Amino acid sequence: MRAGRFLIGAALALAFAVPAPAQQVINLRDADIRAYIEDVARTTGRTFIIDPAVQGKVSVVADRPLSRTQYFEVFLSTLRANGFIAIPTDGGAFRIAPAANAAQQPTRGGSSSFVTQVIDLKSIDTQSAIEALRPLVSAQGQITASKSGSSVVIADYADNLARVRSVLKEIDRDRTSMRLITLDNAGAREIATAIESVSRAAGSDGAGAVSVIAVDSSNSVILRGDPEAVGRMAAIVSDLDKRASAGTDIQVVFLQNADAGALLPVLQQIAGQQVQVTVVNSAPQSGENGQMSNAAPSVSTTPAGSAPPGPGRAVIARYEGANALVISAPPDVQRSLNEVIRKLDVRQEQVLVEAIIVEVSDNAAKQLGVQFLLAGTGSNSVPFAVTNYSNSAPNLLAIAGAIGARELDRTQTTTSDGVTTTGRTSSSAGDALEQAAVQSLLGVSGSLFGFGGEIGNDALFGAVINAVKSDTASNVLSTPSIMTLDNQEAKILVGQEVPMTTGEALSPNFDNAFRTVQRQDVGVQLQVKPQINAGGAIKLFLRQEVSSIAGPVATGSSDLIINKREIETTVTVDDGDIIALGGLIDENERRTIEKVPLLGDIPVVGELFKSRSRSRTKTNLMIFIRPTIVRSRQDAQAISARRFNYTREMQRERYPKQEPSLDALVRDYMGAAPPVAPPVVRSPAPPPSE
């Protein structure tokens, strides 16, 4: 019994011997904050790292003792009230710093600690969430939208962040309703356009706006918005659909982009109407005397397709005066045809096709020749030695013939008083030889050296040495460009029309000769038909021709030789890329040696009996094509401004002190301002990564 009492007493003694939790009473008035932090560190046993910017006085008064946990919470609240915050570190310590930069610091734990959280949104958009929550975030907190656009990032005190999350939970709810309405008479797109206009006006008056989506495949509309507003709009849709059943079955559709003539056969085939195929005969008619007739082309209309429409079938006609279609059909057929028209009557994209044609040629020629003439001048003498080469100029025989003809034309006349005079009589043969000699001398190029004289009284001699070297380099650069609609053929020609004889004939009496002439285009031609693919690539059906006049076929002939370089191909090019369409590298070299047999083979001396010529022609022709899709008005303005400024700068370089005449012409003649490239709209910078 005594032992039991001893054990109970020992247990009670040990129980009362355990120290109670430490209790602290706070009573500070205008105490230095650094001294207060040191006191908290001693009391709580925690480690604090004080930022140099932490300065000031604090006042804390408590009417009852506080435990260590309570003391630390009061400490955090005191820091928060004075614009400071305790930021936990990885080692378990706390860093005391100004709360102004707390949003950029990593924090965790504690109701007075700064916490950063990412909150996903379910119904409302990020902009609406930020506008609603920004007034609830503390002055030191921040709220931003994430890059994904479906969540917000909030950095704030933990207790305030919990309040913000509870508010966001209440407003991030989908309170809208959706309704699908199938239409029997009206068109879904027409009804959707009307409801959108009404909803837009209702939204501006403060009522709830309704989103409308037209579903063409099922001819229905989807309404989404406030349940009450959706109900009102659904009633309007049903009423419009009922009224459409009693509406007229004749409709006039004015086309904005498509051609009514091209669209009419398509709609007629869809509706089962007899299609009228128009054939225009524009072949030239031969008039009297074989001349071309300018009669108007004949037009014939041939029916094709199914049987004529009966009751209840569609009738489609075209009104040429306004690019419009008149459709008479039941409501369901009207709706189907209107949907086809809507999809086809769209603005087509344009394509700018630019070409660069470069032709670089290099011609080099060398020529060296020696010609001799030895002839007798007596009455019975004839030339007995001469060298003449086809690649040498001038023609020594022509010159010698002219001199000989001149000597033969000399005559002597004796007067009655015994005085003898010498004169000259001209003949047609002598004049022709002199003319040939003059033309031969005028055709000389390079250098020419000649000499001649008489050998005694009965012979003369002459020699001509000619040498020429020529180098000709040419660089022909053409840049044709043309803009056309997608899938529409276009053509540009910069050149001349050259008459070409196609036939000659005489009348039975040989007194009425006539010939037929056809004019042929000569110059730079670009013919293209672009087709824009879905992926942005462009398929080009292209024909490029470069032609020029080389000269007549022969001297005195009216027939001409046409140099022609033509490429006709189909290629696929990405938007804005440059492709080498084709090219030709041609190099020709010709060497000619003419000499006198045996004498021309003698070393050194044989060069006097030779004529050498060498010619080399090298041509490099390349064609480059660059298509560019013009999708909008801004793209067209940018292209026009670039071309306009290029021409303007060329005029400014030539006349720097004068206004470019192009600017004056646009201002005075067109009454418009010169084209200016639209400003470049830069996308906003992305928000900083979290």
Side-chain angles (χ1 to χ4, degrees):
M1 188 68 179
R2 291 181 179 178
R5 292 178 180 178
F6 176 76
L7 292 176
I8 294 174
L12 292 175
L14 290 174
F16 284 104
V18 176
Q23 300 288 327
Q24 295 289 337
V25 178
I26 303 176
N27 190 358
L28 302 176
R29 299 183 182 275
D30 295 331
D32 183 73
I33 190 171
R34 289 179 172 268
Y36 175 53
I37 295 173
E38 293 178 2
D39 183 62
V40 173
R42 286 192 300 269
T43 303
T44 61
R46 300 179 183 271
T47 303
F48 298 102
I49 304 172
I50 305 174
D51 191 276
V54 178
Q55 301 289 338
K57 304 290 184 177
V58 295
S59 297
V60 183
V61 178
D63 58 351
R64 57 185 178 84
L66 302 175
S67 64
R68 291 183 179 181
T69 302
Q70 293 173 342
Y71 193 88
F72 186 69
E73 292 294 333
V74 171
F75 170 68
L76 294 179
S77 300
T78 303
L79 293 179
R80 179 175 176 179
N82 289 271
F84 303 105
I85 188 172
I87 303 171
T89 62
D90 294 337
F94 291 84
R95 186 167 63 88
I96 311 300
N101 300 325
Q104 285 78 32
Q105 304 296 331
T107 59
R108 67 176 188 273
S111 61
S112 297
S113 300
F114 242 79
V115 181
T116 302
Q117 290 187 3
V118 178
I119 305 175
D120 295 329
L121 302 178
K122 299 178 181 179
S123 302
I124 63 174
D125 58 284
T126 56
Q127 189 63 31
S128 300
I130 291 176
E131 292 178 359
L133 300 179
R134 191 181 298 279
L136 304 178
V137 179
S138 64
Q140 294 79 20
Q142 290 185 4
I143 178 172
T144 58
S146 64
K147 290 183 178 181
S148 62
S150 60
S151 59
V152 292
V153 181
I154 304 177
D156 203 351
Y157 293 101
D159 54 354
N160 192 51
L161 183 57
R163 181 171 66 96
V164 172
R165 287 182 63 92
S166 62
V167 174
L168 181 59
K169 184 178 180 180
E170 293 295 326
I171 63 176
D172 188 21
R173 292 182 179 180
D174 187 8
R175 296 182 175 86
T176 61
S177 64
M178 298 179 63
R179 183 178 297 185
L180 174 64
I181 303 176
T182 302
L183 304 176
D184 297 327
N185 304 293
R189 192 162 297 274
E190 181 182 5
I191 294 296
T193 303
I195 295 302
E196 283 180 355
S197 301
V198 175
S199 177
R200 201 178 303 115
S204 61
D205 294 339
V210 177
S211 301
V212 187
I213 301 176
V215 183
D216 298 322
S217 60
S218 59
N219 192 38
S220 57
V221 293
I222 299 176
L223 304 179
R224 181 179 183 273
D226 182 74
E228 184 179 355
V230 168
R232 293 197 305 267
M233 294 302 173
I236 296 176
V237 171
S238 300
D239 189 24
L240 291 175
D241 188 38
K242 292 179 181 179
R243 293 176 182 270
S245 61
T248 178
D249 59 350
I250 298 179
Q251 183 180 9
V252 179
V253 181
F254 291 91
L255 302 179
Q256 302 296 326
N257 302 283
D259 183 14
L263 191 57
L264 177 61
V266 178
L267 299 179
Q268 288 177 336
Q269 291 182 5
I270 294 175
Q273 180 184 346
Q274 187 174 7
V275 180
Q276 301 295 327
V277 180
T278 302
V279 179
V280 180
N281 184 12
S282 59
Q285 305 293 329
S286 298
E288 297 181 357
N289 299 328
Q291 296 181 355
M292 307 300 290
S293 175
N294 293 327
S298 60
V299 180
S300 61
T301 303
T302 304
S306 59
R313 302 176 68 90
V315 178
I316 308 170
R318 172 193 176 194
Y319 177 61
E320 298 181 357
N323 191 34
L325 295 172
V326 181
I327 304 176
S328 175
D332 56 340
V333 179
Q334 287 271 19
R335 184 173 60 252
S336 301
L337 295 179
N338 285 333
E339 182 63 21
V340 174
I341 294 174
R342 183 189 65 82
K343 292 183 177 180
L344 295 180
D345 187 24
V346 295
R347 179 174 178 175
Q348 289 182 278
E349 295 179 337
Q350 302 181 93
V351 179
L352 172 65
V353 181
E354 301 169 289
I356 298 179
I357 305 170
V358 184
E359 182 177 359
V360 180
S361 62
D362 185 11
N363 301 328
K366 294 181 181 180
Q367 183 178 338
L368 176 62
V370 181
Q371 301 179 74
F372 290 101
L373 173 67
L374 182 63
T377 59
S379 58
N380 297 323
S381 301
V382 294
F384 63 88
V386 63
T387 59
N388 184 34
Y389 306 108
S390 61
N391 57 2
S392 298
N395 191 328
L396 193 57
L397 288 177
I399 297 175
I403 295 174
R406 184 174 183 180
E407 293 296 331
L408 291 175
D409 288 343
R410 287 183 179 179
T411 60
Q412 291 184 351
T413 304
T414 304
T415 61
S416 58
D417 57 0
V419 179
T420 302
T421 60
T422 302
R424 182 178 183 274
T425 60
S426 62
S427 64
S428 59
D431 293 341
L433 289 173
E434 289 183 1
Q435 185 67 25
V438 171
Q439 294 296 331
S440 179
L441 289 172
L442 292 177
V444 174
S445 60
S447 62
L448 178 67
F449 174 74
F451 60 91
E454 294 182 352
I455 303 176
N457 296 325
D458 298 329
L460 58 85
F461 72 95
V464 175
I465 303 175
N466 69 301
V468 61
K469 178 180 180 181
S470 64
D471 289 308
T472 304
S474 62
N475 184 4
V476 181
L477 182 65
S478 301
T479 57
S481 62
I482 190 170
M483 183 179 291
T484 180
L485 288 175
D486 178 27
N487 210 32
Q488 295 293 326
E489 185 175 339
K491 178 180 179 181
I492 184 173
L493 167 65
V494 181
Q496 299 173 319
E497 283 190 349
V498 179
M500 307 290 292
T501 301
T502 58
E504 294 182 353
L506 296 174
S507 65
N509 297 329
F510 299 99
D511 58 355
N512 187 17
F514 69 95
R515 63 176 181 171
T516 58
V517 176
Q518 179 181 359
R519 296 188 176 272
Q520 180 176 342
D521 295 333
V522 176
V524 178
Q525 300 185 52
L526 176 62
Q527 187 173 357
V528 63
K529 181 179 179 181
Q531 179 180 315
I532 302 176
N533 298 334
I538 306 171
K539 187 177 182 180
L540 293 176
F541 304 90
L542 189 140
R543 178 178 175 270
Q544 175 72 65
E545 178 182 318
V546 181
S547 56
S548 60
I549 303 175
V553 176
T555 304
S557 174
S558 60
D559 295 332
L560 300 177
I561 299 176
I562 305 297
N563 294 330
K564 190 174 182 180
R565 304 171 185 86
E566 179 180 354
I567 293 179
E568 186 171 355
T569 182
T570 302
V571 295
T572 300
V573 192
D574 288 333
D575 180 21
D577 287 354
I578 299 177
I579 185 173
L581 194 63
L584 172 66
I585 299 178
D586 185 18
E587 183 172 0
N588 297 322
E589 183 173 352
R590 175 180 294 180
R591 297 186 182 185
T592 304
I593 299 178
E594 297 183 10
K595 63 182 178 178
V596 177
L598 300 179
L599 296 178
D601 298 331
I602 301 175
V604 183
V605 180
E607 297 297 329
L608 300 176
F609 301 94
K610 294 181 181 179
S611 177
R612 299 175 180 268
S613 66
R614 177 183 176 184
S615 63
R616 180 178 59 84
T617 303
K618 185 176 182 180
T619 303
N620 189 352
L621 174 67
M622 297 297 293
I623 300 178
F624 303 92
I625 293 291
R626 179 177 184 260
T628 304
I629 301 176
V630 182
R631 294 184 170 89
S632 62
R633 177 170 175 258
Q634 289 74 15
D635 294 343
Q637 286 181 336
I639 293 174
S640 300
R642 185 174 71 246
R643 299 295 181 84
F644 190 90
N645 293 334
Y646 176 79
T647 307
R648 176 196 292 167
E649 292 302 324
M650 292 180 64
Q651 293 182 347
R652 283 180 176 175
E653 290 179 2
R654 180 168 296 183
Y655 306 105
K657 298 182 180 179
Q658 299 180 7
E659 179 188 13
S661 60
L662 189 59
D663 286 354
L665 187 63
V666 171
R667 183 185 63 251
D668 300 336
Y669 178 71
M670 294 185 175
V676 179
V680 179
V681 180
R682 300 184 180 276
S683 58
S689 59
E690 302 300 336

